[in-house]
Amino acid sequence: MALEDPVIAPDTGIVADLAPAVATEPATAAAPAGIPPRFACFVTGTDTEIGKTLISSALLHALVQRGVRACGMKPIAAGAVLRDGRLHNDDCDQLEAAGNVHLPQSITTPFLLKEPAAPHIAAALENVAIDPVPILAAYLEVAAASDATVVEGVGGFRVPLTDSYDTADLAQQLDLPVILVVGMRLGCINHALLTVEAIAARGLKLVGWVANALEPEMAFGDENVAALAARIPAPLLGRVPRLREPSAAACAGHLDFSGLPNWPAHRNNPQ
């Protein structure tokens, strides 16, 4: 596979060109007769430690509850520890636990780095070159093995992965509908609106956003949410309070994903 080769995910209606190009709106091609359209999304945030993994896990939990074969993917993760003879990252472990399609770690997280730092720094420390080709190839494997895929970004929307490639480039190549997690704290309006502009500048479709509480009480929280709702051209999927015991199930109870593109109807749980 060469960098300029197009990558086509099975039955997704999505074409991701590995070479930088003018982005187009995510494809919404109809699935073959009798086969429901598959759900896929890219989850990004206004910053790091903002709740992307919690929201991604809630998406996976909700999909599994609807009887869908769902798999989470975090292509790049920094901050891994060796446990039981295997590298573990908390975010990756949460995604794996929330989904019901379990694939090798080398597929769901092609680049798992030990140092809890910006990916380009962590990769340099391990003499690793982050390359989009294995990431996009891995995405195709995940898409082929599942009916729904949730891809979680790393950090905010424009985190460097190499000197010339960042998470916005990856999102553009995947060409998936985007869900934005806004960490509710002072300054969140500016951070959210700048991220919304960056998503639009890549030709990507923002299909929803989540207001995720980062502290028990935020001064003027309602007013901040109202200001964001008036300015973000996508539906608010819900407000997640500061949970005493954060979990995918608890988080999902505060969110409504039913309006998302290709959100599946309830099916019998697959065996």
Side-chain angles (χ1 to χ4, degrees):
M1 178 181 291
L3 250 161
E4 54 276 0
D5 290 339
V7 174
I8 305 175
D11 298 326
T12 64
I14 296 166
V15 177
D17 190 339
L18 300 188
V22 177
T24 57
E25 186 168 318
T28 55
I35 301 177
R38 74 184 316 277
F39 174 82
C41 69
F42 183 88
V43 179
T44 191
T46 49
D47 201 349
T48 190
E49 300 297 328
I50 221 75
K52 295 189 307 299
T53 302
L54 182 62
I55 305 307
S56 298
S57 297
L59 276 159
L60 290 165
H61 173 83
L63 288 162
V64 170
Q65 290 299 301
R66 302 186 81 76
V68 176
R69 295 165 60 250
C71 186
M73 180 183 186
K74 190 175 178 75
I76 306 103
V81 296
L82 188 64
R83 190 166 61 245
D84 300 325
R86 175 189 171 195
L87 282 175
H88 284 266
N89 171 271
D90 288 344
D91 293 352
C92 299
D93 289 352
Q94 288 179 49
L95 295 178
E96 182 180 14
N100 59 358
V101 173
H102 303 295
L103 298 173
Q105 187 180 76
S106 59
I107 295 175
T108 55
T109 306
F111 292 95
L112 182 57
L113 307 166
K114 296 178 183 178
E115 188 69 24
H120 70 292
I121 296 173
L125 291 173
E126 296 182 35
N127 294 315
V128 170
I130 296 177
D131 185 337
V133 172
I135 294 175
L136 294 168
Y139 172 76
L140 294 185
E141 294 195 53
V142 174
S146 60
D147 298 322
T149 309
V150 176
V151 181
E152 181 191 338
V154 56
F157 187 64
R158 290 217 56 192
V159 172
L161 302 177
T162 71
D163 290 343
S164 59
Y165 184 72
D166 63 20
T167 51
D169 295 320
L170 173 60
Q172 186 177 30
Q173 290 170 348
L174 288 169
D175 196 25
L176 299 175
V178 178
I179 293 174
L180 173 63
V181 181
V182 179
M184 299 304 299
R185 64 185 179 198
L186 187 63
C188 66
I189 296 176
N190 178 64
H191 293 160
L193 297 183
L194 287 174
T195 304
V196 168
E197 287 186 1
I199 292 168
R202 296 301 179 118
L204 296 171
K205 179 69 172 179
L206 180 65
V207 294
W209 66 282
V210 174
N212 185 46
L214 300 181
E215 46 198 49
E217 294 291 337
M218 176 186 176
F220 306 107
D222 291 344
E223 291 84 351
N224 276 263
V225 171
L228 287 166
R231 292 165 174 81
I232 295 178
L236 172 61
L237 304 178
R239 295 177 64 175
V240 180
R242 186 71 175 177
L243 300 172
R244 183 183 298 273
E245 295 183 6
S247 70
C251 180
H254 297 278
L255 299 168
D256 180 5
F257 302 124
S258 61
L260 292 174
N262 293 338
W263 186 255
H266 196 279
R267 310 177 198 170
N268 292 328
N269 283 320
Q271 298 298 323

